[in-house]
Amino acid sequence: MADTVREIERKYEADDDTRLPDLVCVDRVATVEEGGVEALDALYYDTADQRLAADGITLRRRTGGRDAGWHLKLPVAPGVRDEVRAPLSDAPPAELTALVRSRVLRQELVPLVRLRTRRTVRVLRDAAGAALAEVAVDEVGAARAAASGKATAPGKAAAGRAAEARWREIEVELTGEGGDPALLDEVGRALTAAGARPATSPSKLARALAETGPAPARAAPTGGKGAGKRARSGKGGKGGKGPGRQGGGGKADRTAGDVVLRYVREQVRVIVELDPAVRRDLPDSVHQMRVATRRLRSAFRSYTAVLDRAATAPIGLELQWIAAELGVDRDREVLTERFQQALAGVPVTLRLGPVAARLRTWSQRRRTGSRGRLLAVLDGDRYLALLETLHALAAEPPLRAAAARPAPEVLARAVLKDHRRLARRMQAALDAPAGQARDEALHGARKAAKRTRYAAEAAVPGLGRPARKFAKRTKRVQQLLGDHQDSVVARGALRELATQAQQAGEGGFTFGLLYGREEALAADRERQLPEVWRKAARPGLRAALRP
């Protein structure tokens, strides 16, 4: 079983004559304890085209020191990484390779660099003797590794590059839970005053790769004919010139293709980056990944003038599939949390029978096997094929002729088309008779509102403030409709719970009470809806979007 450690550290470059200052002068540091000298031998693995390194991820097999084993480092924020550890073995452990599958795809992980480090450790302690941080002075030797894991012979060095690189650096890392990053700033000031310099490379691996050989041309993952060639050349697919670029907004987003592709690539990036978080069951990761799949699918459906629907429709179906798989656990969690919060607001005198126990049983029964099922889906061939297709789509997008046209005219037309669709559904919902017919119509309007909102958000780099304002008001409509739909789903689950309680002889009064509150909430949302919709459908706002 892999363990995870949050690593918060700072790195500094040091010359051979740079000496550590007296760190007792740093606030809160009472003593500096000698931690000994360690000999570390680490072999770093990646694909031949360095897909992990490109995303700031490192996978290594290290011997020596106190934490020998396999270490996978995933970036969290600047200077912060999660280190997932597994015991020593000959090959990369499956539990770690699964966490990089969304980047690696079907490529083989091979040893790229070998680092040998002589590390001198000092522990900074407070007045109570608690460890605050560790300061490590590292003398590093790096060499490219052959497939066997041995260092490459000097004659094999890349032209213009050294076969080996050597340097000296200082690492300062917080220890224990709840460490204060401000301490790193204080230690850093003392180190720079003594002649050390903030590291220009984010990791030892990055520096080793830079100094021992050129970075390879980054080939696109398999999945699209010609994708690798187009990715390396920086060109897009059909429609060619500007739309193939990735980048920020502003002047770069001059064409409809620029804007839409930036949005599409961002959603693909989110899906890829959230994959390991979902596997690790990190908070909100399933929800965020599900949202990204929906945003991407929505973009395919809204911007058919930019992206060829014949190519994106099959991808949309696969995105719908993976969103449903992600939702198996997520929907249960949301309902359970909703019921627990509602139950907390019910006076004890009205909680008749073992209501909390019945709710736990219902929740656990629904969850049985769902986590294992999701992991099996993420490890399956169908999901891997989807990831390959998304990578290929980003590299070689199926652009139509309108992709080369100015962004405002194409984007505004697409957003307003979605808005007209939403207006039809809203009118149908408001006209529908109360009951199941209206519930279904409101649910259809909710889906249309979400699609319209996503289309407007994607268009912001090309349309600016009007699109942002439009998206904000449409989001309010969507949220109101979402509250209503959540109540519909909750009432169905409460009926199920009440039936189970009655069959067990427990009585269903409390669940009936919660049902009534959900019914009142839905009625309140229906009363608010006409006015909220009127503001979102304001003619002046629509006019502002027109090119």
Side-chain angles (χ1 to χ4, degrees):
M1 179 64 67
D3 296 321
T4 302
V5 177
R6 176 61 56 89
E7 179 184 84
I8 304 176
E9 65 179 13
R10 305 279 172 80
K11 294 178 180 291
Y12 299 86
E13 297 172 358
D15 298 326
D16 290 340
D17 58 353
T18 302
R19 295 292 177 264
L20 282 182
D22 182 5
L23 295 176
V24 173
C25 64
V26 174
D27 187 32
R28 286 171 289 172
V29 177
T31 60
V32 178
E33 177 184 295
E34 296 292 334
V37 178
E38 301 173 341
L40 309 176
D41 190 345
L43 193 59
Y44 287 79
Y45 283 70
D46 203 338
T47 59
D49 57 357
Q50 298 177 20
R51 295 180 184 182
L52 299 186
D55 286 342
I57 297 172
T58 62
L59 174 64
R60 72 187 179 199
R61 181 187 188 276
R62 191 167 79 179
T63 57
R66 295 158 292 172
D67 60 349
W70 285 92
H71 305 151
L72 173 65
K73 297 193 178 188
L74 301 167
V76 175
V80 182
R81 295 187 290 183
D82 277 349
E83 183 175 282
V84 187
R85 299 174 176 176
L88 278 174
S89 59
D90 291 336
E95 55 197 318
L96 299 190
T97 57
L99 296 178
V100 297
R101 191 178 190 229
S102 63
R103 270 92 167 188
V104 172
L105 302 180
R106 299 183 197 274
Q107 295 299 305
E108 182 183 4
L109 288 168
V110 296
L112 285 189
V113 171
R114 188 165 198 167
L115 298 183
R116 291 185 175 90
T117 303
R118 184 180 184 275
R119 168 167 290 179
T120 304
V121 179
R122 292 171 178 82
V123 182
L124 309 185
R125 298 187 181 276
D126 63 16
L132 299 172
E134 286 191 358
V135 179
V137 179
D138 291 341
E139 298 173 9
V140 185
R144 289 296 175 115
S148 63
K150 297 179 180 179
T152 305
K156 300 292 184 179
R161 300 278 180 158
E164 296 186 6
R166 294 187 177 278
W167 67 88
R168 191 166 180 260
E169 69 178 41
I170 301 172
E171 288 186 4
V172 186
E173 181 178 352
L174 294 178
T175 57
E177 296 291 333
D180 185 2
L183 177 66
L184 297 181
D185 296 332
E186 296 174 25
V187 173
R189 284 191 285 270
L191 292 176
T192 54
R197 304 172 299 279
T200 55
S201 294
S203 66
K204 288 182 175 66
L205 175 63
R207 180 166 181 174
L209 290 171
E211 294 191 13
T212 62
R218 183 78 185 277
T222 58
K225 191 174 181 180
K229 179 180 178 181
R230 290 186 181 273
R232 287 190 293 273
S233 68
K235 297 179 181 178
K238 301 173 186 177
K241 297 183 180 178
R245 296 191 303 269
Q246 276 190 78
K251 294 182 179 180
D253 294 325
R254 296 184 182 279
T255 69
D258 285 326
V259 177
V260 173
L261 285 182
R262 185 161 77 100
Y263 185 81
V264 165
R265 286 166 172 154
E266 173 63 14
Q267 305 317 311
V268 172
R269 182 192 65 78
V270 170
I271 292 170
V272 169
E273 291 187 357
L274 282 173
D275 176 285
V278 170
R279 292 174 184 272
R280 295 168 61 200
D281 203 18
L282 297 185
D284 206 37
S285 57
V286 169
H287 171 62
Q288 293 299 329
M289 186 171 176
R290 197 179 183 193
V291 168
T293 64
R294 287 173 169 171
R295 288 179 183 273
L296 186 54
R297 182 168 173 251
S298 181
F300 292 162
R301 300 172 74 184
S302 295
Y303 292 106
T304 53
V306 176
L307 296 170
D308 187 352
R309 189 170 185 176
T312 60
I315 305 174
L317 291 176
E318 291 303 280
L319 290 169
Q320 185 179 26
W321 159 74
I322 193 62
E325 294 290 350
L326 291 165
V328 170
D329 223 18
R330 171 66 183 173
D331 292 342
R332 176 207 54 80
E333 289 177 355
V334 170
L335 270 179
T336 299
E337 183 178 349
R338 185 184 187 96
F339 292 156
Q340 288 173 338
Q341 291 178 350
L343 191 59
V346 175
V348 176
T349 54
L350 298 181
R351 299 182 201 173
L352 305 185
V355 181
R358 169 61 54 190
L359 178 57
R360 284 195 300 271
T361 300
W362 174 84
S363 176
Q364 290 168 359
R365 183 181 299 124
R366 283 177 164 238
R367 186 172 186 179
T368 301
S370 61
R371 177 69 185 163
R373 172 179 171 171
L374 177 56
L375 292 176
V377 166
L378 297 181
D379 288 335
D381 288 338
R382 183 176 180 180
Y383 174 65
L384 181 59
L386 172 59
L387 289 174
E388 290 177 326
T389 301
L390 293 178
H391 279 278
L393 173 79
E396 188 178 11
L399 298 177
R400 301 185 66 194
R405 289 163 56 186
E409 62 178 271
V410 178
L411 303 181
R413 188 172 291 112
V415 174
L416 291 174
K417 180 181 178 180
D418 280 347
H419 185 269
R420 288 192 295 271
R421 178 172 171 269
L422 168 59
R424 291 192 297 270
R425 292 201 178 184
M426 282 296 303
Q427 191 59 53
L430 294 173
D431 292 343
Q436 184 177 352
R438 182 180 294 173
D439 290 343
E440 292 176 354
L442 289 171
H443 182 43
R446 171 179 173 258
K447 291 190 286 187
K450 185 180 294 186
R451 174 169 157 181
T452 304
R453 169 198 163 191
Y454 289 162
E457 289 175 343
V460 166
L463 297 178
R465 186 171 179 272
R468 187 178 294 107
K469 189 175 181 181
F470 189 90
K472 183 178 180 180
R473 292 188 176 180
T474 306
K475 180 180 179 180
R476 176 62 181 138
V477 175
Q478 176 202 327
Q479 289 175 332
L480 207 64
L481 292 168
D483 287 347
H484 185 278
Q485 177 60 19
D486 289 346
S487 175
V488 171
V489 174
R491 279 178 277 159
L494 287 167
R495 281 195 299 269
E496 179 185 339
L497 279 161
T499 300
Q500 292 174 0
Q502 287 181 329
Q503 290 174 346
E506 299 168 359
F509 172 83
T510 306
F511 293 118
L513 177 63
L514 295 179
Y515 184 99
R517 292 184 176 184
E518 290 287 355
E519 200 169 39
L521 183 148
D524 177 70
R525 297 302 184 265
E526 288 186 35
R527 283 192 297 270
Q528 294 181 47
L529 186 58
E531 177 62 16
V532 173
W533 169 242
R534 184 187 66 80
K535 292 179 179 179
R538 188 172 294 170
L541 197 58
R542 295 197 303 273
L545 282 177
R546 292 195 178 97

